[in-house]
Amino acid sequence: MFYLHKILPMVFLPIGLTTILVCAGLLLRRRILCYVGIGLLWLSSMPLIGDAAIRAAEGWRVRVPLHEVPLSQAIVVLSNGFISAPGDASVVEWSDDVDRFEAGVALYHTGKGSMLILTGGWLPWSKEARSIGELLAEHAMERGIPRDRVAVTGKAMNTAAEAQAVAALMDQQDESQDRRVILVTSAFHMRRAQWLFERAGLAVFPFPVDFQVDENRGFTVLDLLPSAEALSNTETALRELYGYLYYVVRALVGAS
């Protein structure tokens, strides 16, 4: 099922749809289908479209100043941010979304939460036995956070599992049943993550980071030309939309 969730959305993403349209056009000898497929790929690859799509996925959110964040029982960071570098040294390097971890550490050091919870993100094809959360925990302690103030959930392969794991962990550690958390994740992922964490019974204050569009960049003619980065933004936004709709529909079907 995990692999199906990863593969199925590809059919409805620009590259998948373009491939289907072009192949259908060649097989049926309908040039119009080929033109539509190429046009779809071009539009999806335009920075003008990609930026708008990713900002829509972010819910047009903005970065929240630390002083506006309310006090909560825990700061929850959805784990990500590492890649294994090629070579025999087995070096683990930061990836682009290190903002999640940095924001979590900053929130803890400003006293916004008494506990830093890192989710045990892990993928079945990973050669690393430890989860990303366990690796991040080591860095958190190097940043001066006491060992007893850092918690890591068990391994989780998706956001729904992370939400359930965090809720269970808080129930074990917090006798007062205070379930207020500051949720830290990428802005484009926040809508789906917040919905799932609230479904798990947690009171969530969203703290989005890792924004994908530079607010100070103005429009140029390059915004109309295809770009791999823009295509990635478009597909990321669509994946988030499909993921959010999947969980909402599943909840509605389960409630009926």
Side-chain angles (χ1 to χ4, degrees):
M1 184 62 72
F2 175 79
Y3 287 96
L4 182 61
H5 287 172
K6 292 293 184 181
I7 295 172
L8 187 58
M10 295 175 62
V11 178
F12 302 99
L13 295 175
I15 292 179
L17 290 172
T18 296
T19 302
I20 292 172
L21 287 168
V22 171
C23 289
L26 293 174
L27 290 173
L28 300 175
R29 298 183 181 180
R30 297 291 181 88
R31 291 184 180 181
I32 185 62
L33 294 177
C34 296
Y35 295 152
V36 170
I38 295 171
L40 172 64
L41 185 61
W42 184 292
L43 287 172
S44 302
S45 302
M46 288 169 49
L48 181 68
I49 301 298
D51 288 356
I54 202 69
R55 283 298 287 143
E58 292 172 348
W60 307 100
R61 298 175 187 269
V62 298
R63 183 66 182 258
V64 181
L66 289 177
H67 68 269
E68 294 183 7
V69 179
L71 298 179
S72 297
Q73 179 63 19
I75 302 157
V76 178
V77 176
L78 298 195
S79 297
N80 214 334
F82 281 133
I83 59 172
S84 296
D88 297 331
S90 298
V91 175
V92 178
E93 297 182 345
W94 293 103
S95 64
D96 292 338
D97 53 3
V98 64
D99 295 327
R100 298 186 189 186
F101 174 77
E102 295 292 349
V105 171
L107 286 164
Y108 179 85
H109 283 308
T110 51
K112 297 301 182 179
S114 60
M115 176 72 66
L116 177 65
I117 298 178
L118 303 164
T119 58
W122 184 81
L123 296 172
W125 53 78
S126 175
K127 297 179 181 179
E128 173 62 61
R130 295 173 297 174
S131 69
I132 296 176
E134 292 173 295
L135 296 172
L136 289 173
E138 296 176 0
H139 286 272
M141 288 182 280
E142 290 174 0
R143 298 291 187 89
I145 301 180
R147 180 182 295 273
D148 63 347
R149 297 289 91 191
V150 180
V152 182
T153 71
K155 290 180 178 179
M157 292 191 292
N158 55 47
T159 310
E162 289 178 316
Q164 295 297 328
V166 169
L169 183 64
M170 291 191 67
D171 287 342
Q172 293 173 4
Q173 296 188 352
D174 182 20
E175 296 180 356
S176 68
Q177 297 298 307
D178 187 345
R179 298 167 71 85
R180 291 174 299 162
V181 300
I182 302 167
L183 182 60
V184 183
T185 189
S186 299
F188 62 80
H189 182 54
M190 182 58 76
R191 177 170 57 179
R192 176 159 57 113
Q194 182 177 353
W195 190 85
L196 288 168
F197 272 73
E198 289 175 343
R199 290 277 298 178
L202 301 172
V204 175
F205 180 88
F207 192 84
V209 296
D210 187 32
F211 291 88
Q212 301 298 303
V213 178
D214 184 355
E215 184 180 1
N216 294 320
R217 187 174 67 84
F219 175 82
T220 71
V221 68
L222 297 178
D223 289 314
L224 303 178
L225 300 179
S227 158
E229 182 180 359
L231 178 60
S232 177
N233 280 343
T234 301
E235 295 209 334
T236 296
L238 288 172
R239 280 184 178 275
E240 284 300 316
L241 174 62
Y242 297 156
Y244 176 74
L245 291 177
Y246 166 78
Y247 285 114
V248 170
V249 170
R250 193 173 73 167
L252 291 174
V253 171
S256 62

